[in-house]
């Protein structure tokens, strides 16, 4: 006889309700038939009667069963055939499907931020309002009013924007390309989604950094990919690890974030960059380079991307406006061989017929405007200021309890806690103290690591936010 699985993450009552619903649908219990009493079914399944009561309550709420005093519990006659007014079992639908939900930690953080806008936010990976070029964008809107037809555009992206990106990427990232080799996306995550869905197949093995932002994206598991890790040290990944993974698992693609890596802030060593490109060329492996933070270098001398050194076409290069201008523009890009661009553009057309032309047009004007360099200068200066405020507060509040290396660019500070701590307890305690962060296990690390994102919080809130975190940490360590 079927028994509920006590090791499953699904509550026992829900397992029982799902099993009964399936058996009713299969005809084991026809419409109008009597179901076992709550006590009898509890004895059969080895659970408390209260668990069966909850299961029956779930089925009653769906109209599948009905109970009457003195007559027991029966399968509803009306649900099964007498009437056409059936309510879908939405619980079963949302539990199904191949696209997995966000990680539980990320859902909890989002829930907390929505519930209380007073929380100091060290979790959201975006710029604060004062770091975005809002005034400049408003001026561009006034200077270039939109008068054209608002119809579908090329699914590859607005030609005007792609041509502007050719000049921008050449000047700022030393990437030489053409507009036909650029695909416009809604951001880095859509670029990654298109790659995982269109260029790879379920069962394919891919390599990602460890820790890695990619680890926090269920889209890789949703695509059925097998993930293998490349440990990151203070110089980034070791290219020889890729050879080893290729020999053992025949990896088909490598995902890297070489400039101010998320979450560690590491910059891939120049010699390792050359070795990485040599390994990719030797093995015929595509490299997916995500470069959202390169232009945030605090010294104004951004490390060049791998793509600028790519002479054989191994690198698919991903960038976006989210970390350097405004996440709300929803404009990103991918530089890739033309066949890849055409394949992904075709997929995009099936999804949404392309992005809105209005933000694309605004982004094109911004890239060609005199505003962009002054904006980048201000951005770098203010990000460095916020980083310094976080480091000063950590040194002041937790001098013995945390270890970190100050990043030279990007939005994040990766911090190790020098004590045993459970991520979920620390996060919940931090929320109670009025601050949120991202636990390191979200990115594949062990418990006891923390990512502080300092770009979203106001400068004046950073000190109080770290103080709240310190109080939460001490509370967890010494309850």
């Amino acid at each position: 006889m079927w028994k509920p699985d006590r090791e499953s993450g699904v509550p026992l009552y829900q397992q029982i309700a799902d099993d009964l619903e399936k058996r009713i649908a299969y005809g084991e219990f026809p419409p109008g038939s009597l179901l076992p009493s709550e006590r009898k079914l509890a004895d059969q399944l080895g659970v408390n009667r209260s668990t069966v009561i909850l299961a029956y309550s779930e089925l009653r709420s769906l109209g599948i069963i009905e109970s009457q005093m003195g007559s027991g519990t029966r399968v509803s006659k009306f649900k099964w055939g007498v009437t056409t007014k059936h309510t879908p079992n939405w619980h079963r639908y949302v539990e199904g499907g191949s696209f997995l939900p966000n990680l539980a930690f990320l859902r909890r953080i989002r829930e907390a931020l929505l519930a209380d806008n007073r929380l100091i936010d060290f979790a959201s990976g975006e710029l604060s309002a004062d770091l975005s070029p809002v005034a400049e964008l408003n001026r561009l809107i006034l200077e270039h009013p939109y008068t054209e037809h608002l119809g579908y555009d090329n699914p590859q992206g607005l030609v005007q924007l792609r041509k502007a990106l050719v000049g921008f990427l050449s000047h700022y990232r030393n990437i030489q390309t053409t507009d036909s080799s650029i695909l416009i996306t809604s951001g880095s995550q859509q670029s990654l989604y298109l790659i995982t869905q269109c260029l790879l197949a379920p069962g394919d093995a891919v390599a990602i950094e460890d820790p890695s932002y990619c680890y926090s994206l269920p889209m890789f598991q949703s695509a059925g990919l097998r993930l293998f890790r490349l440990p990151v040290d203070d110089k980034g990944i070791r290219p020889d690890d890729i050879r080893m993974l290729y020999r053992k698992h025949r990896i088909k693609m490598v995902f890297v974030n070489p400039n101010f890596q998320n979450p560690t802030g590491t910059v891939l060593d120049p010699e390792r960059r050359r070795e990485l490109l040599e390994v990719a060329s030797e093995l015929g492996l595509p490299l997916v380079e995500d470069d959202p933070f390169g232009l945030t270098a605090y010294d104004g001398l951004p490390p060049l991307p791998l793509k600028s050194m790519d002479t054989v076409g191994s690198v698919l290069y991903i960038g976006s406006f989210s970390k350097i201008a405004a996440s709300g523009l929803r404009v990103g890009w991918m530089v890739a061989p033309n066949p890849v661009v055409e394949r992904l553009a075709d997929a995009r057309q099936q999804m949404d017929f392309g992005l809105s032309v209005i933000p694309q047009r605004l982004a094109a004007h911004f890239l060609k405007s005199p505003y962009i360099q002054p904006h980048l200068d201000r951005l770098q200066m203010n990000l460095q200021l916020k980083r310094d405020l976080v480091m000063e507060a950590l040194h002041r509040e937790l001098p013995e309890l945390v270890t970190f290396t100050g990043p030279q660019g990007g939005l994040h500070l990766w911090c190790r806690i020098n004590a045993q701590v459970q991520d979920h307890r620390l996060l919940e305690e931090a929320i109670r103290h009025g601050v949120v962060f991202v636990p390191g296990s979200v990115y594949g690390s062990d418990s006891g690591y923390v990512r502080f994102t300092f770009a979203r919080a106001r400068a004046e809130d950073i000190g109080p936010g770290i103080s709240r975190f310190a109080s939460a940490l001490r509370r967890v360590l010494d309850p």
Side-chain angles (χ1 to χ4, degrees):
M1 181 180 179
W2 175 87
K3 294 286 182 70
D5 180 4
R6 295 180 181 276
E7 301 299 320
S8 169
V10 180
L12 294 178
Y13 83 88
Q14 188 65 60
Q15 294 184 51
I16 295 169
D18 289 346
D19 179 69
L20 285 171
E21 182 184 356
K22 180 172 66 176
R23 293 167 69 187
I24 291 168
Y26 289 169
E28 284 187 45
F29 295 107
S33 61
L34 184 66
L35 293 175
S37 70
E38 294 160 354
R39 191 179 305 280
K40 181 178 179 180
L41 186 57
D43 289 340
Q44 290 174 349
L45 299 178
V47 298
N48 293 328
R49 183 185 174 197
S50 60
T51 303
V52 175
I53 291 172
L54 284 173
Y56 277 178
S57 177
E58 174 82 1
L59 294 175
R60 271 195 297 271
S61 71
L62 296 171
I64 294 172
I65 65 174
E66 51 194 24
S67 301
Q68 289 185 355
M69 187 70 70
S71 299
T73 299
R74 297 179 180 273
V75 178
S76 173
K77 294 180 180 179
F78 299 100
K79 180 74 179 178
W80 303 96
V82 177
T83 177
T84 59
K85 295 181 179 180
H86 296 167
T87 302
N89 184 347
W90 292 117
H91 174 80
R92 187 180 295 278
Y93 280 96
V94 300
E95 290 288 329
S98 60
F99 198 80
L100 299 175
N102 265 319
L103 301 181
F105 274 135
L106 297 181
R107 296 200 302 273
R108 178 68 182 105
I109 290 166
R110 181 177 59 197
E111 170 191 289
L113 288 169
L114 288 172
D116 187 355
N117 60 14
R118 297 168 300 176
L119 290 175
I120 296 176
D121 185 359
F122 291 133
S124 301
E126 62 176 339
L127 304 177
S128 57
D130 61 303
L131 296 185
S132 293
V134 176
E136 293 91 333
L137 294 176
N138 278 325
R139 283 198 290 270
L140 289 170
I141 291 171
L142 293 174
E143 292 168 9
H144 304 278
Y146 196 87
T147 58
E148 301 164 32
H149 172 57
L150 278 173
Y152 294 128
D153 193 62
N154 190 323
Q156 189 176 332
L158 190 71
V159 173
Q160 182 183 356
L161 174 55
R162 286 188 277 130
K163 288 184 175 180
L165 278 166
V166 169
F168 171 79
L169 292 171
S170 175
H171 180 74
Y172 285 97
R173 307 308 287 133
N174 197 33
I175 294 174
Q176 310 307 317
T177 188
T178 64
D179 63 279
S180 63
S181 294
I182 295 176
L183 174 71
I184 304 301
T185 68
S186 64
S188 295
Q189 287 197 200
Q190 187 179 62
S191 297
L192 292 171
Y193 178 78
L194 289 168
I195 289 168
T196 58
Q197 290 293 321
C198 301
L199 304 184
L200 296 165
D204 283 347
V206 300
I208 64 172
E209 296 160 320
D210 176 22
S212 171
Y213 175 69
C214 289
Y215 195 82
S216 72
L217 301 175
M219 70 173 71
F220 286 82
Q221 288 87 349
S222 296
L225 303 177
R226 294 180 294 136
L227 302 181
F228 295 94
R229 303 185 185 192
L230 298 167
V232 173
D233 61 24
D234 60 351
K235 294 183 178 181
I237 62 169
R238 296 182 294 269
D240 277 345
D241 290 342
I242 295 174
R243 284 195 179 92
M244 182 270 292
L245 289 179
Y246 184 80
R247 286 194 299 268
K248 289 183 66 175
H249 304 290
R250 285 296 184 266
I251 56 172
K252 294 191 68 174
M253 195 172 281
V254 180
F255 293 80
V256 291
N257 174 199
N259 294 325
F260 312 120
Q261 194 253 5
N262 185 4
T264 66
T266 304
V267 176
L268 185 61
D269 177 76
E271 181 59 33
R272 292 189 184 183
R273 289 171 186 254
R274 288 188 286 273
E275 292 176 13
L276 176 57
L277 288 168
E278 288 172 6
V279 169
S281 176
E282 172 191 324
L283 301 177
L285 272 177
L287 301 175
V288 178
E289 179 183 20
D290 192 9
D291 186 32
F293 310 113
L295 289 174
T296 64
Y298 307 145
D299 62 3
L301 301 172
L304 291 177
L306 294 170
K307 186 64 179 174
S308 68
M309 305 165 60
D310 179 24
T311 59
V312 298
S314 297
V315 179
L316 302 180
Y317 178 80
I318 294 172
S320 105
F321 273 120
S322 295
K323 313 306 180 189
I324 60 170
S327 54
L329 274 177
R330 307 312 305 136
V331 172
W333 52 85
M334 187 192 310
V335 180
N338 191 251
V340 173
V341 169
E342 290 180 353
R343 170 72 177 96
L344 302 187
D346 176 75
R348 270 284 308 281
Q349 188 172 32
Q350 296 178 55
M351 291 168 57
D352 57 16
F353 279 95
L355 300 172
S356 167
V357 296
I358 294 176
Q360 291 186 79
R361 188 172 179 270
L362 179 58
H365 287 306
F366 182 61
L367 289 175
K368 295 185 292 185
S369 75
Y371 305 134
I372 187 160
Q373 185 60 60
H375 163 69
L376 290 174
D377 292 340
R378 288 194 304 273
L379 176 66
Q380 292 156 3
M381 179 181 66
N382 282 291
L383 285 176
Q384 183 176 17
L385 169 66
K386 290 188 173 185
R387 178 209 63 176
D388 291 346
L389 290 172
V390 172
M391 293 196 300
E392 290 168 8
L394 286 171
H395 283 308
R396 182 176 63 251
E397 300 284 346
L398 297 165
E400 305 297 328
L401 274 175
V402 297
T403 303
F404 58 86
T405 300
Q408 300 306 304
L411 319 184
H412 315 296
L413 188 143
W414 184 242
C415 185
R416 181 165 156 299
I417 298 171
N418 301 322
Q420 291 291 323
V421 63
Q422 293 181 337
D423 280 354
H424 73 277
R425 287 190 60 205
L426 180 55
L427 178 61
E428 291 301 328
E429 192 62 40
I431 291 171
R432 281 192 285 272
H433 278 75
V435 62
V436 288
F437 63 92
V438 181
S441 55
V442 166
Y443 306 108
S445 76
D446 295 330
S447 289
Y449 285 84
V450 169
R451 192 196 76 174
F452 291 112
T453 301
F454 45 81
R456 183 71 178 84
R458 297 181 303 174
E460 59 267 31
D461 289 336
I462 288 176
I466 296 298
S467 178
R468 295 180 188 185
F469 173 82
S471 296
L473 177 58
R474 291 195 178 95
R475 174 68 176 167
V476 169
L477 294 177
D478 187 22

